[in-house]
Amino acid sequence: MEEFTVHNPLEPDLSGTTGMTESEIAPRFDFDYGVGLGCLLFSFSIFYYTSLGALMNGIFVLPWSLAAIYSVWLMNAGKLRWFWKKQHPEYLHHRLLLGYVWLVSCFTLNRSMPVFDPSAPWLMFAIVIAGVSAIAFTWNEYLPRWLQSILFTLMGCSVVIWIYYALCLIPYYILSVPALLLLGVSVHSFVPLLLSITYLRVLALWWHEFRPAILTGVIIPIAITVYFSMAWRRISNTIRHQTNAIATQPTDDLPNWVMLARQIEDNWITRRVLMGPKVYQVAHSDGTIFSRRNTTDIVVRHDPLVLIASLFTPKLDLADAEQINILNVLYDTRHETQERLWSGSDLRTANVLTQARIYPHMRIAYTEKTISIANHSGSPRWQEEALYTFFLPEGSVVSALSLWIDGIEQKSLLTSQSKADSSYKTIVGVESRDPSVVHWQEGNMVKVKVFPCTARENRKFKLGITTPLKADGPQLTYENISFKGPGAEKATETIRLEFPQELQAPHLPFEPTNASPGVIIHEGAYQSAWKVGFKITPVSRESFAFDGKTYTVEPRHKTLENFKAKAFYLDINQAWSKRELDALWPVVRKRPVFVANGRLIRLTEANKDEQFKALSAFNFSLFPVQYIPDPENALLITKSTAVSPTLHDLANAPFSKTLSRHAPQGLRTFLVGDGASSYIKSLNELSIVRAEQTDWKALLEMIPQNQFPSDPEADPSVVSIESADIQIRESEGPASGRAPDHLLRLFAYNHIMKQLGGRFLNHSFQTDSVFNAKLIREAEIAHIVTPVSSMVVLENQEDYDRFDIRKSKNSLENATLKVAGAVPEPHEWLLIALFSLLIGYFTFRHYVQ
């Protein structure tokens, strides 16, 4: 009697089958095959469960056990034999199915003991298609001829995939053989090899009848791989040559990586070349190809095309910092590459509560995002750090932060950015206790860190944001505040919107689950990008009074001033078209016209086409406004791409140093189109340029008439918010009003940014203690996050005292949805106190008598 154990369950025999008829080799569905489908479905369910972040220690044992049980089942049924015995060809379909049961076990085990990084999306799709085609092979004889050809083409592709995996695992074979006696888990190393042999056996049986289809299936993936590898090598060599050419240029105002990122050809292969080991599993310098520890939040993917191409091409000669900077600029990976003190790989966003109060008559809104974070590490003691990046609508400012500690909401204190950063790093990096911090980031972003997040309970924090509504023709638009952070694919969300009852019902991107006058509630899966549209209403001159000053919202004064530019400066990049330049040229050619290409170059009829061809190939532009000789009489015309370095990226470069020393103030700028690059946004926010958004039609009308929109901020008591088409005026003396305190917060933020100006570029505001203290005090009064101020939540008062973080006096506190309207002035508090005394006197005088 034979003893049935799990040992190399997929070993078919490659002996010939000459003379077999189709009926003899045609697969049949039977009970044993049904058992295998059940095992496959159950194993895949476990694998899918782990993909949701619910990874538990030892969970891979379940699919492994199912694979072993099904192997024993087939051996007992006589449909699988020991590897040294001849296999029955009529049961090939059972062994194919068994191979995929084992593969699910392999991929589940890979989550706990990673050999390969998570598969690229196309690879996951290809593996699923391979499995489906293997199951469809069971009913091959019932398919029409053309479907049979497609089926064998897919099986030809499948065998290439599993041979690739088998070759990758060769280094493991030597260790896996003796480990079979000690650790049966090592059998997984041989699964792709054994499955490849089974596929070869199937294709050999059907070779004569479906040779063209099988050859097509085998050749297609090999041809794609060869083409990709050749393109990878060509692009890598091109980048090396461009790097060398940049290094030999006489001017070096910009870092080399900026000049490379600006001119590099951007396509799907170039992206993978640049991302390299930061994003993809590649061949390492020691010849190994297996997964290694990742120090960023970027999910490293296993892409066979990238891995194979990297085997035959030397690594790019770029420093890690340069490579990360290029990824940040071209592919928006700033969140993933940020500094962190602890890992956050097992964290997931579990739930989001979005509450917004909208003030259409003042064109502002206040939003609170309450986020619950789950830790799926499986270990209750494992602590991780949650890192979120919130993307704010233009002109928005963070005005509240809370962290739940022991089930109680603890509100933040506002302090200098350096104190907040120092306290957080000390407590998290050394003492491992509860803090949260929010920092301002360039480009309408803020960074929130929360620690610790454990598997014992979900961690919760709340962020409050004051936002201008966007005025777009007849509509006001409220934009959701999106974020990057721990995966939110499976998160739930409740959205609650409050607005005046008399307002016409807004245009919603979702169906409300509950609605009443002035309130809309939606419950469902988390949505990152959505907008709500309201019918535009006239701006109501509402006021908010605090600390002896009044802040009033007004319609933005839109008047044109006479301005005849003595010179035009065109910021040409990939966003421009030749047709646009040709339409603009007749309007500006009678005065000096300049472009920036290494230096300022005057455009003429003779060179404009040549210069446009060179500049329009750039992925982005950084116009050197510091070199404009007469900025008061100059006009900059820009149309931006979505990407560009930030001013922070350029810190310490000669370009940034000259810009900080010679930055113009309020350089008149026409911004064509709806968007602006991070560079232009920052210059505008710091009042280095005064950008007016327009379109080509309006631009071509204003230039011949020598007109430019006047500057509302010429009055220092006014800040202008162009996106909302409003301005906020500060005036001395108290005034009655029911406006929310968000008017003060928006005014203070824009006023601080305007004062920073060129000092932001060289960080001189940090060394000027008097100037810095003045800005921090203004931020404290409004309780807002700025380049000089941050919010922090610490565990107890002793921590605040230790880092000299104190509650601000005579200032606003964390914004909240529970309070609306003005804060009483000192004389109002006196009247309230006197009134209370009178009420108390008349109420209790009888008891006194």
Side-chain angles (χ1 to χ4, degrees), residues 24-193:
E24 289 177 299
I25 61 176
R28 293 286 188 272
F29 180 85
D30 56 18
F31 180 75
D32 296 329
Y33 196 86
V35 171
L37 285 177
C39 291
L40 180 63
L41 181 61
F42 189 69
S43 294
F44 186 78
S45 300
I46 296 171
F47 175 75
Y48 180 73
Y49 179 68
T50 64
S51 72
L52 302 181
L55 183 61
M56 297 183 296
N57 294 330
I59 197 171
F60 68 88
V61 172
L62 293 177
W64 179 24
S65 300
L66 285 173
I69 290 170
Y70 188 51
S71 300
V72 173
W73 183 285
L74 289 182
M75 294 180 76
N76 190 47
K79 296 177 180 178
L80 180 70
R81 308 181 70 183
W82 294 98
F83 68 92
W84 60 80
K85 295 183 179 181
K86 183 178 179 180
Q87 305 291 326
H88 297 292
E90 62 269 27
Y91 301 128
L92 280 171
H93 58 295
H94 291 85
R95 295 200 291 277
L96 276 178
L97 180 61
L98 176 62
Y100 281 93
V101 175
W102 275 100
L103 277 173
V104 174
S105 179
C106 288
F107 284 109
T108 307
L109 175 63
N110 191 68
R111 294 190 186 277
S112 301
M113 303 169 60
V115 173
F116 295 99
D117 288 306
S119 301
W122 75 262
L123 181 59
M124 289 189 285
F125 179 76
I127 291 172
V128 170
I129 293 298
V132 171
S133 64
I135 295 172
F137 175 66
T138 305
W139 292 273
N140 173 55
E141 65 174 343
Y142 303 107
L143 301 177
R145 180 73 181 186
W146 64 273
L147 267 182
Q148 287 180 322
S149 297
I150 293 175
L151 177 62
F152 280 99
T153 300
L154 293 176
M155 294 187 73
C157 293
S158 302
V159 73
V160 175
I161 293 174
W162 302 125
I163 289 174
Y164 159 79
Y165 272 98
L167 293 174
C168 288
L169 291 169
I170 287 176
Y172 278 84
Y173 293 162
I174 298 176
L175 295 175
S176 296
V177 171
L180 285 172
L181 302 176
L182 301 175
L183 300 171
V185 71
S186 64
V187 72
H188 291 87
S189 302
F190 300 99
V191 170
L193 173 63

Side-chain angles (χ1 to χ4, degrees), residues 696-811:
W696 286 112
K697 181 181 178 182
L699 173 67
L700 295 175
E701 289 174 356
M702 281 189 280
I703 291 178
Q705 297 174 10
N706 297 320
Q707 292 179 329
F708 192 84
S710 60
D711 183 12
E713 295 185 353
D715 181 347
S717 66
V718 171
V719 298
S720 173
I721 303 177
E722 183 182 2
S723 62
D725 204 17
I726 59 172
Q727 61 188 39
I728 302 174
R729 183 181 301 276
E730 180 189 61
S731 56
E732 296 291 336
S736 60
R738 298 298 302 167
D741 56 21
H742 303 296
L743 294 183
L744 167 54
R745 300 182 198 272
L746 288 174
F747 180 90
Y749 176 74
N750 286 275
H751 191 244
I752 289 171
M753 296 302 295
K754 186 162 61 172
Q755 292 178 80
L756 278 172
R759 294 193 181 196
F760 176 80
L761 300 166
N762 59 8
H763 302 285
S764 62
F765 66 91
Q766 295 176 339
T767 56
D768 186 339
S769 58
V770 175
F771 180 72
N772 193 43
K774 175 189 172 186
L775 296 184
I776 292 175
R777 178 55 192 157
E778 187 169 357
E780 285 178 342
I781 291 173
H783 198 84
I784 55 174
V785 174
T786 69
V788 299
S789 59
S790 297
M791 292 180 189
V792 64
V793 180
L794 302 181
E795 188 173 353
N796 50 51
Q797 186 59 45
E798 288 75 16
D799 287 334
Y800 288 114
D801 294 339
R802 181 155 55 107
F803 294 101
D804 193 27
I805 298 174
R806 307 190 184 281
K807 187 174 182 179
S808 305
K809 296 180 180 179
N810 196 26
S811 64

Side-chain angles (χ1 to χ4, degrees), residues 335 338-342 373 384-390 401-403 420-421 424-425 428 434-439 441 446-453 459 461 463 791-793:
H335 170 79
Q338 287 187 82
E339 175 194 22
R340 59 161 60 249
L341 300 177
W342 290 68
I373 311 161
E384 297 195 22
E385 179 186 28
L387 173 62
Y388 284 84
T389 299
F390 288 84
L401 173 69
S402 294
L403 177 68
D421 195 48
Y424 181 86
K425 287 183 176 178
V428 171
D434 296 66
S436 179
V437 68
V438 55
H439 290 305
Q441 286 192 306
V446 294
K447 174 176 63 178
V448 177
K449 293 183 176 183
V450 178
F451 184 87
C453 300
R459 202 72 204 264
F461 75 94
L463 191 70
M791 292 180 189
V792 64
V793 180

Side-chain angles (χ1 to χ4, degrees), residues 108-381:
T108 307
L109 175 63
N110 191 68
R111 294 190 186 277
S112 301
M113 303 169 60
V115 173
F116 295 99
D117 288 306
S119 301
W122 75 262
L123 181 59
M124 289 189 285
F125 179 76
I127 291 172
V128 170
I129 293 298
V132 171
S133 64
I135 295 172
F137 175 66
T138 305
W139 292 273
N140 173 55
E141 65 174 343
Y142 303 107
L143 301 177
R145 180 73 181 186
W146 64 273
L147 267 182
Q148 287 180 322
S149 297
I150 293 175
L151 177 62
F152 280 99
T153 300
L154 293 176
M155 294 187 73
C157 293
S158 302
V159 73
V160 175
I161 293 174
W162 302 125
I163 289 174
Y164 159 79
Y165 272 98
L167 293 174
C168 288
L169 291 169
I170 287 176
Y172 278 84
Y173 293 162
I174 298 176
L175 295 175
S176 296
V177 171
L180 285 172
L181 302 176
L182 301 175
L183 300 171
V185 71
S186 64
V187 72
H188 291 87
S189 302
F190 300 99
V191 170
L193 173 63
L194 303 177
L195 183 58
S196 300
I197 295 173
T198 304
Y199 264 104
L200 291 173
R201 175 72 165 156
V202 171
L203 297 179
L205 290 174
W206 294 86
W207 173 253
H208 293 293
E209 188 170 355
F210 291 99
R211 181 184 302 176
I214 294 171
L215 277 176
T216 301
V218 171
I219 290 172
I220 286 176
I222 294 176
I224 292 173
T225 303
V226 171
Y227 168 78
F228 185 90
S229 298
M230 292 174 63
W232 178 288
R233 188 175 186 86
R234 177 182 58 79
I235 292 170
S236 296
N237 290 335
T238 300
I239 293 174
R240 289 189 187 88
H241 296 152
Q242 288 176 330
T243 304
N244 292 338
I246 290 168
T248 60
Q249 290 184 5
T251 58
D252 59 352
D253 271 10
L254 292 169
N256 288 352
W257 69 264
V258 172
M259 300 175 72
L260 177 62
R262 183 174 63 177
Q263 63 183 273
I264 199 167
E265 180 186 1
D266 186 16
N267 58 50
W268 70 283
I269 299 180
T270 302
R271 293 184 184 187
R272 284 155 178 77
V273 173
L274 289 173
M275 291 176 176
K278 301 296 180 186
V279 181
Y280 292 100
Q281 188 171 350
V282 299
H284 304 294
S285 56
D286 58 3
T288 58
I289 62 172
F290 300 115
S291 177
R292 293 190 176 183
R293 184 177 180 271
N294 182 25
T295 57
T296 69
D297 262 5
I298 298 177
V299 178
V300 177
R301 296 287 182 184
H302 169 220
D303 187 326
L305 295 176
V306 173
L307 196 152
I308 293 171
S310 67
L311 283 170
F312 303 103
T313 305
K315 182 182 176 183
L316 289 177
D317 189 20
L318 291 173
D320 280 354
E322 291 179 317
Q323 196 168 5
I324 288 174
N325 284 332
I326 292 174
L327 295 180
N328 289 345
V329 170
L330 295 183
Y331 309 121
D332 190 24
T333 59
R334 296 184 190 279
H335 170 79
E336 291 82 0
T337 57
Q338 287 187 82
E339 175 194 22
R340 59 161 60 249
L341 300 177
W342 290 68
S343 170
S345 59
D346 297 307
L347 301 182
R348 300 292 183 271
T349 300
N351 183 62
V352 180
L353 171 61
T354 300
Q355 301 181 85
R357 179 170 291 153
I358 298 166
Y359 306 89
H361 56 293
M362 287 179 280
R363 300 187 182 174
I364 60 175
Y366 173 66
T367 304
E368 287 184 351
K369 289 274 187 183
T370 306
I371 295 178
S372 180
I373 311 161
N375 186 326
H376 292 290
S377 64
S379 172
R381 296 184 178 182

